[in-house]
Amino acid sequence: MIPQFPLAPFVRSYFEDHLVCRRNASPHTIQSYRDALKLFLGFTAACLKKPATRLLVTDISEQIVTSFLADLE
């Protein structure tokens, strides 16, 4: 059985620890990343018909990413 890891803690860690503490990213950079991720997570949640708060790490696949990028075009 594949472990089921919620995506939210990883996203939170990326923004709070990696971007802020380790990379010292500017507030504008963080806002830009936030906006892009909101679009991606919204798209993914709609495709999988589940709330974004319930997304798992295993829900993010190459197919979802390429579909999202094609949708942006």
Side-chain angles (χ1 to χ4, degrees), residues 48-60:
L48 299 177
K49 296 178 176 44
K50 64 189 327 187
T53 56
R54 299 276 188 195
L55 291 175
L56 302 172
V57 172
T58 54
D59 289 333
I60 308 303

Side-chain angles (χ1 to χ4, degrees), residues 11-63:
V11 172
R12 180 186 278 295
S13 173
Y14 178 73
F15 279 92
E16 291 180 354
D17 182 47
H18 182 74
L19 288 180
V20 174
C21 298
R22 296 178 190 223
R23 300 292 297 176
N24 197 25
S26 76
H28 293 292
T29 298
I30 294 169
Q31 290 171 357
S32 177
Y33 282 33
R34 178 205 61 202
D35 293 344
L37 196 58
K38 278 175 59 175
L39 288 173
F40 175 68
L41 294 177
F43 176 85
T44 303
C47 285
L48 299 177
K49 296 178 176 44
K50 64 189 327 187
T53 56
R54 299 276 188 195
L55 291 175
L56 302 172
V57 172
T58 54
D59 289 333
I60 308 303
S61 65
E62 179 183 350
Q63 182 181 6

